């Protein structure tokens, strides 16, 4: 008989009609009640077993973690928490589980323990909820841009460019590392490598997306990016996913409008389609908050925080205004900031960004017009010669979630800036061609997808919102 998913079963009413469900055993109580989950919902389906009619050898094999198929009919539940339960007529063991060795016993496990058993953590309530939310967020991104007529561009994963000149890239080669070919000067001869040049995993699809925007007007990329930053913080991954739209004929204001609209769209979509999962994660976060000192607890629960972003227009201020607010704040004067704000031109830290959002404006904030010395070469320079048309969107609890800018469309200004930053123009000649042949005003932004998932799920470690985390000294699976 065809399988019915548990999320569908839980919406049905009692009936004598036989149905089949399949899933993994969460618990088996008193040889009578099985809690079964198939991943389609955070809720388990209670299976009622008549242990006098069920073969003893089958009952013995129904253990936590086992995979089973159950044929039965739905009856009104006598217990709390579910409207219906499945009265088992027949149970088939699809895959046994050794109860002595299965790591996920029916108790609360720490996140660190689950990271150590990441190959099984999908089966827990917490990670089931996280990755169902991630799925809906990813699909919502595509829905948003597709409804607006954007063209989805697959930017390359292997590239010869370092989009921001950071130098923290993973090299791609098929050389025998024990026998590297050298040129006359003793340097590695990349001309003999597979691509005939030095190549790396991409840190951004932006530059390639700009090429698409100069033909299709509006494009977006959504793919993996890589950064070889030797950082073990809760905010860094070596492999992560980026959404990077690029739009011809957009200025900075258009760019901010689109980014705000996109964030509100996908958050609302998740609240609607993942209500049960987000409610579970909200309760989990509340339990965590209770363990913190009163002064460190968040003023909003997860659902309130998400609605906070939906119900407020994002405050738009310049970097210069933000610096003045921070300099004059009691936090700064009383030295409560770890990094004190004393002068214009400093790069803002997460604590500063969160202060602006959570304490000062009490709404999401978009900062614009940053000093050009702390921003990338491709951002359009303002007439003051000191700032660029950059924008960062700041969210409560997380700080920067989106970074973008109006791009520098003027060839002379762009090449001048590249020379100042010692970025070889000959290596990006193809990029400069977009300014030589039919240039126009254009803009774009980047959204780190894992940061979005962090925000919507309320998790605090970025390793918990990507299926398989790649970090320094860690590349399992």
């Amino acid at each position: 008989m065809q399988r019915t998913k548990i999320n569908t079963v839980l919406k049905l009413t009692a009936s004598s009609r036989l149905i089949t469900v399949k899933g993994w055993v969460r618990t088996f109580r008193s040889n009578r009640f099985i809690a079964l989950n198939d991943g389609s919902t955070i809720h388990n389906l209670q299976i009622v077993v008549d242990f006098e009619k069920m073969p003893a050898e089958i009952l013995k094999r129904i253990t936590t973690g086992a995979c089973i198929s159950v044929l039965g009919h739905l009856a009104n539940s006598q217990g709390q928490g579910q409207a219906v339960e499945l009265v088992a007529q027949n149970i088939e063991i699809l895959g046994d589980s050794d109860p002595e060795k299965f790591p996920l016993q029916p108790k609360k496990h720490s996140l660190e323990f689950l990271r150590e058993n990441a190959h099984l953590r999908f089966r827990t309530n917490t990670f089931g909820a996280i990755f169902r939310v991630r799925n809906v967020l990813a699909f919502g991104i595509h829905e948003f841009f597709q409804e607006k007529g954007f063209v989805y561009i697959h930017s390359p994963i292997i590239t010869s460019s370092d989009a921001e000149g950071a130098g923290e890239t993973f090299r791609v080669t098929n050389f025998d590392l024990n026998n590297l070919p050298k040129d006359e000067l003793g340097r590695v001869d990349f001309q003999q490598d597979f691509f005939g040049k030095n190549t790396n995993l991409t840190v951004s699809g932006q530059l390639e997306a700009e090429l698409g925007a100069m033909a299709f007007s509006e494009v977006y990329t959504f793919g993996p990016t890589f950064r070889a930053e030797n950082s073990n913080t809760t905010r860094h991954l070596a492999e992560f996913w980026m959404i990077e739209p690029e739009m011809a004929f957009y200025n900075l204001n258009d760019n901010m409008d689109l980014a705000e609209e996109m964030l509100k769209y996908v958050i609302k979509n998740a609240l609607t389609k993942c209500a049960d999962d987000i409610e579970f994660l909200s309760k989990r976060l509340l339990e965590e908050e209770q363990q913190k000192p009163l002064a460190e607890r968040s003023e909003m629960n997860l659902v309130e925080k998400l609605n906070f972003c939906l119900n407020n227009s994002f405050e738009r201020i310049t970097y210069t205004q933000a610096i003045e607010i921070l300099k004059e704040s009691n936090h700064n004067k009383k030295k409560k900031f770890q990094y004190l704000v004393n002068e214009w031109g400093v790069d803002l830290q997460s604590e500063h960004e969160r202060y602006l959002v959570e304490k000062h404006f009490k709404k999401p904030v978009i900062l614009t017009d940053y000093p050009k010395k702390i921003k990338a070469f491709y951002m359009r320079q303002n007439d003051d010669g000191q700032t660029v048309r950059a924008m960062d969107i700041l969210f409560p609890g997380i700080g920067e979630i989106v970074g973008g800018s109006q791009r520098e469309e003027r060839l002379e200004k762009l090449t001048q800036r590249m020379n100042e930053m010692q970025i070889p123009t000959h290596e990006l000649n193809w990029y400069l061609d977009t300014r030589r042949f039919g240039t126009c005003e254009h803009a774009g932004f980047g959204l780190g997808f894992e940061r979005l998932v962090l925000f919507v799920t309320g998790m605090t470690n970025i390793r918990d919102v990507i299926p398989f985390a790649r970090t320094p000294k860690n590349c399992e699976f």
Side-chain angles (χ1 to χ4, degrees), residues 5 11 27 30 42 48 50 52 91 117 143 153 200 211 256 262 275 286 460:
K5 290 187 178 183
K11 297 172 186 174
T27 60
S30 309
I42 198 165
V48 181
D50 187 339
E52 292 183 351
I91 297 177
N117 292 275
E143 283 182 314
I153 295 287
N200 52 267
L211 308 183
M256 290 188 284
M262 179 203 68
L286 189 60
T460 55

Side-chain angles (χ1 to χ4, degrees), residues 324-337 339-342 355:
E324 287 305 310
I325 291 169
L326 292 167
K327 279 173 64 176
E328 297 303 315
S329 69
N330 285 331
H331 257 59
N332 200 56
K333 290 177 178 178
K334 294 180 179 180
K335 299 185 177 181
K336 290 184 178 180
F337 286 136
Y339 298 92
L340 297 180
V341 180
N342 296 317
Y355 176 86

Side-chain angles (χ1 to χ4, degrees), residues 63 244 434:
T63 59
E244 296 176 290
T434 59

Side-chain angles (χ1 to χ4, degrees), residues 121-149:
R121 66 180 181 170
F122 294 123
R123 297 199 202 180
T124 65
N125 281 338
T126 297
F127 286 93
I130 290 168
F131 291 112
R132 278 187 294 270
V133 171
R134 182 183 170 109
N135 167 65
V136 166
L137 287 170
F139 192 67
I141 293 286
H142 286 293
E143 283 182 314
F144 175 79
F145 286 116
Q146 290 295 323
E147 286 173 9
K148 287 188 168 296

Side-chain angles (χ1 to χ4, degrees), residues 80-128:
Q80 294 183 340
Q82 66 275 322
V84 292
E85 57 193 16
L86 190 71
V87 179
Q89 181 173 309
N90 182 64
I91 297 177
E92 178 185 356
I93 309 296
L94 303 178
D96 288 289
S97 177
D98 185 336
E100 301 296 323
K101 296 180 179 179
F102 185 59
L104 304 182
Q105 296 303 313
K107 63 177 184 179
K108 186 172 182 178
H109 297 287
S110 71
L111 293 174
E112 187 58 42
F113 174 83
L114 293 173
R115 285 180 210 123
E116 293 168 1
N117 292 275
H119 57 300
L120 296 170
R121 66 180 181 170
F122 294 123
R123 297 199 202 180
T124 65
N125 281 338
T126 297
F127 286 93

